[in-house]
Amino acid sequence: MRRLSLNTWILVYFAYFILVNIFPEAGYTALLISEILLGRNTSLLNGKNVSLGHLAFFAMLPLLLQPYPYINSIRAPILNSIIFSMISALAEEYFFRGVILPIAGNPIQAYLFALTHLNTTNPVYLVNTSLLVPHYFLLGLILGKTAENHGLFYSIIFHVGYNIVSQLFYLNFTLQAILYLFIAEAVLCIFMFVKR
């Protein structure tokens, strides 16, 4: 039964990957619908207490990871952007951390999460998003570890915050900015994965 379930989720992943590159809103909607229809493992939501301190930390963490010296401008996100940020984070968290993480483990879900962020619709976008694969892989590891240690609720809060902050700051796409993101996330990964 587990094999059939994994095969089903693999098909869902590929359908999502194709749709999200053609029409992102349809991709996230299809992912949410498939999670509802096919069911999902919500064990990461169970037994976790919500604390105000943790909530504030995971909501503010995306602000701490921003490469401020490389920000070109700040823009006010419009309501559509905020709603899209919330829905995309919710869909990705339920799928990658709620479904794939318990089945395949943290590195695999982080890798699939990173691949999903490749934009295959244009060769220039493909090259640019390819340069960000390490960033999204580390972000996937961080979100996976957050879900494992603190629950899916906190990884959703962190991901929503990350998406909204990404809408707020317009980042210069330079090697320095990418390295800054990579180093900040690598340091965070080291702190999260070191056993205490």
Side-chain angles (χ1 to χ4, degrees):
M1 182 68 180
R2 185 173 197 150
R3 182 113 172 97
L4 177 66
S5 177
L6 180 59
N7 288 338
T8 303
W9 287 115
I10 289 170
L11 289 173
V12 168
Y13 174 78
F14 282 115
Y16 163 69
F17 181 79
I18 291 166
L19 273 175
V20 85
N21 272 283
I22 298 168
F23 186 54
E25 290 83 357
Y28 292 116
T29 302
L31 192 58
L32 280 173
I33 290 170
S34 60
E35 290 162 354
I36 291 166
L37 294 177
L38 298 173
R40 62 185 176 275
N41 181 348
T42 57
S43 64
L44 292 172
L45 284 172
N46 298 336
K48 303 293 181 180
N49 293 328
V50 176
S51 84
L52 192 57
H54 279 96
L55 186 60
F57 174 75
F58 286 110
M60 297 303 291
L61 190 57
L63 286 171
L64 300 175
L65 293 175
Q66 293 305 307
Y68 290 104
Y70 304 104
I71 291 173
N72 189 21
S73 64
I74 298 175
R75 57 184 172 209
I78 57 174
L79 184 59
N80 291 347
S81 298
I82 293 172
I83 291 170
F84 182 75
S85 296
M86 294 169 70
I87 291 172
S88 62
L90 185 67
E92 288 180 345
E93 286 308 305
Y94 271 123
F95 182 68
F96 291 105
R97 268 56 79 181
V99 174
I100 302 298
L101 179 63
I103 294 171
N106 201 11
I108 300 296
Q109 70 78 25
Y111 179 69
L112 292 173
F113 176 74
L115 288 182
T116 301
H117 288 83
L118 287 173
N119 187 331
T120 59
T121 59
N122 177 311
V124 173
Y125 294 149
L126 180 59
V127 170
N128 287 347
T129 56
S130 296
L131 293 172
L132 291 172
V133 166
H135 155 68
Y136 285 114
F137 177 74
L138 288 174
L139 184 61
L141 285 176
I142 292 166
L143 289 165
K145 194 66 170 171
T146 300
E148 286 178 335
N149 290 352
H150 303 286
L152 193 57
F153 176 76
Y154 289 114
S155 67
I156 291 170
I157 294 298
F158 177 35
H159 198 154
V160 167
Y162 179 86
N163 285 355
I164 290 172
V165 167
S166 296
Q167 294 288 324
L168 180 65
F169 297 121
Y170 180 75
L171 185 64
N172 286 330
F173 195 80
T174 63
L175 182 59
Q176 293 88 350
I178 294 169
L179 285 173
Y180 184 101
L181 281 172
F182 185 73
I183 291 168
E185 289 163 348
V187 169
L188 185 58
C189 272
I190 290 168
F191 281 111
M192 290 182 85
F193 284 88
V194 170
K195 303 240 186 225
R196 293 179 187 162

